[in-house]
Amino acid sequence: MKKQNENFDVSKPIDFVVIWVDGNDKEWQKEKAKYDGSTVTTANSEVRYRDWDNLQYWFRAVETYAPWVNKVHFVTWGHIPSWLNTECPKLNIVNHKDYIPEEYLPTFSSHTIELNIHRIKGLAEQFVYFNDDIFLNAPVTPEDFFKNGKPVDTAALDCIYFGKDSAGFFHAADITIINTYFKKKEVVKKDFKKWFNFKNGYRNMIKTAMLYNWPWFPGIFNQHVSSNFLKSTFNEVWEKEFDTLNSTCLNRFRKSGDVNQWVMKYWQLASGNFEPRSYKFSQCYHIKHKNFRHVCSDIREKRHSIICMNDTSKTVDFEDKKQKLIEVLEEALPKKSSFEK
């Protein structure tokens, strides 16, 4: 088991932030239906609102694998799981209206929820952002997320993929901002040892080398896992690009021209405000029929410290997979956490 570095600065705490939507909540469905023209029976049909009923294991993983975390900020529309211990001293329950400016509410866009998380009262300067399908999967230390006061990350150039149901349009909007403020060749040259670092992996370094001659950023590698942020990064980007971020947040639902929280990640990379971390630390699984067994085996074998179990429109036999995943998580994390009643 990894041991926490004795030099870890306790005066610089690390918080976790996780957002959750209970798509089965009838009141939430009614609220959503007011704005998107759906009915209550169809309001929960979208994949991204489907509940895998495994959130308690997310909290168990935090307590088991990262007992050093300062605070967990649980962001929700207002619904609270019946099993959640609201008196847990490390837990801060955050309603959308507690931190999102009133003019953006109600919102059903993850972009608005994410772009404003720096406004959460009491949030530490250093924090790790999770979606509810991104789990700790093995023991981790503070240095796996922040070193020398900087976020750790994998840096590599990439190309944007535009495909049906892809996030390419959001990625493009984020990269537009990065290209406005940074010159790619200067960025990579200044932090050459970070962009051409063995921790990034050979394939990523080859892609960076092949794309280096372009005068602009064609895209930046994104693993679709948790993100390590400085609250000050959000403040800086909001100050410089208020109109763009404000326009995104005024959309109640996600739209193709939106930016999202990746712009904060890319800003940190382009600024050189990061330390390299192995790309092997995390793994995203887009759950489909053929790769579901890899998800389960990773949980059992702890091959990666963080995994994303991303539900997709290609996920078949949902109820069967949900039950099997719960069984695997129960096997790995059988002990209740202090976040549970």
Side-chain angles (χ1 to χ4, degrees):
M1 178 171 292
K2 288 186 178 181
K3 293 184 179 180
Q4 180 175 322
N5 190 320
E6 294 180 358
N7 296 322
F8 173 60
D9 189 349
V10 294
S11 69
K12 295 181 179 179
I14 298 172
D15 286 354
F16 287 175
V17 177
V18 59
I19 66 171
W20 178 67
V21 173
D22 180 5
N24 296 316
D25 187 322
K26 296 299 182 183
E27 292 304 313
W28 175 85
Q29 290 180 9
K30 290 178 183 177
E31 184 78 1
K32 178 174 177 286
K34 288 180 185 178
Y35 295 95
D36 71 355
S38 67
T39 65
V40 172
T41 56
T42 62
N44 189 32
S45 62
E46 295 182 68
V47 168
R48 67 176 177 273
Y49 299 127
R50 193 158 60 181
D51 193 355
W52 286 76
D53 295 327
N54 58 16
L55 187 64
Q56 63 268 43
Y57 298 105
W58 186 91
F59 283 98
R60 291 184 190 185
V62 169
E63 188 159 280
T64 301
Y65 302 138
W68 45 264
V69 70
N70 176 61
K71 186 76 73 173
V72 174
H73 302 273
F74 179 57
V75 179
T76 166
W77 175 83
H79 22 241
I80 304 295
S82 59
W83 49 262
L84 189 66
N85 175 18
T86 57
E87 302 300 319
C88 178
K90 281 194 172 185
L91 179 65
N92 179 32
I93 298 174
V94 185
N95 191 295
H96 291 175
K97 63 184 179 182
D98 293 335
Y99 77 101
I100 298 176
E102 185 177 357
E103 58 267 30
Y104 302 149
L105 294 174
T107 185
F108 305 93
S109 169
S110 60
H111 301 159
T112 303
I113 296 168
E114 294 168 342
L115 289 172
N116 289 281
I117 51 180
H118 65 297
R119 306 183 198 276
I120 294 174
K121 186 177 180 180
L123 179 67
E125 165 67 6
Q126 299 179 145
F127 68 94
V128 185
Y129 170 70
F130 295 82
N131 290 120
D132 62 4
D133 60 353
I134 299 172
F135 281 56
L136 292 182
N137 191 49
V140 292
T141 69
E143 293 76 23
D144 287 323
F145 302 93
F146 294 90
K147 288 182 181 179
N148 305 316
K150 297 180 180 180
V152 296
D153 209 338
T154 300
L157 299 178
D158 206 347
C159 292
I160 298 173
Y161 168 67
F162 294 94
K164 185 178 180 181
D165 299 325
S166 80
F169 290 104
F170 310 139
H171 190 174
D174 297 331
I175 292 296
T176 297
I177 290 179
I178 300 304
N179 279 318
T180 300
Y181 292 91
F182 301 95
K183 295 182 179 179
K184 179 177 64 63
K185 286 188 176 182
E186 292 181 5
V187 166
V188 177
K189 183 178 180 180
K190 178 174 69 73
D191 292 304
F192 184 86
K193 291 183 179 180
K194 292 182 179 181
W195 289 84
F196 287 95
N197 190 295
F198 288 114
K199 291 182 178 181
N200 297 331
Y202 287 108
R203 291 182 64 183
N204 282 326
M205 286 195 292
I206 290 171
K207 283 194 292 185
T208 298
M210 293 178 68
L211 296 170
Y212 178 73
N213 281 331
W214 267 260
W216 56 83
F217 285 92
I220 296 178
F221 174 67
N222 197 322
Q223 287 184 289
H224 198 90
V225 290
S226 59
S227 295
N228 311 320
F229 289 126
L230 297 177
K231 191 162 62 173
S232 53
T233 301
F234 279 68
N235 289 325
E236 182 180 6
V237 178
W238 266 96
E239 181 181 349
K240 293 183 181 298
E241 281 291 322
F242 175 83
D243 289 345
T244 303
L245 273 61
N246 179 63
S247 177
T248 290
C249 292
L250 287 171
N251 296 329
R252 297 203 189 279
F253 298 89
R254 303 200 302 185
K255 292 186 177 180
S256 59
D258 288 355
V259 294
N260 64 8
Q261 49 96 6
W262 294 347
V263 71
M264 308 299 176
K265 167 189 172 75
Y266 301 155
W267 190 278
Q268 290 175 165
L269 292 171
S271 301
N273 195 18
F274 74 100
E275 295 291 346
R277 183 177 73 182
S278 173
Y279 76 101
K280 295 181 180 180
F281 184 79
S282 305
Q283 178 65 43
C284 177
Y285 295 99
H286 299 287
I287 297 180
K288 303 173 185 176
H289 178 67
K290 292 183 179 180
N291 73 348
F292 183 67
R293 61 186 177 86
H294 298 303
V295 178
C296 297
S297 64
D298 201 331
I299 295 172
R300 292 190 177 103
E301 299 169 15
K302 305 185 190 315
R303 291 196 299 271
H304 299 91
S305 296
I306 291 179
I307 59 172
C308 176
M309 299 173 285
N310 186 39
D311 195 2
T312 73
S313 58
K314 295 181 181 180
T315 302
V316 297
D317 301 324
F318 169 71
E319 291 297 333
D320 179 61
K321 284 184 171 57
K322 180 174 79 170
Q323 185 56 42
K324 288 181 179 177
L325 188 57
I326 289 174
E327 291 172 1
V328 173
L329 288 168
E330 177 65 26
E331 178 185 327
L333 299 160
K335 184 180 178 181
K336 278 189 176 183
S337 70
S338 61
F339 295 98
E340 299 172 72
K341 293 178 181 177

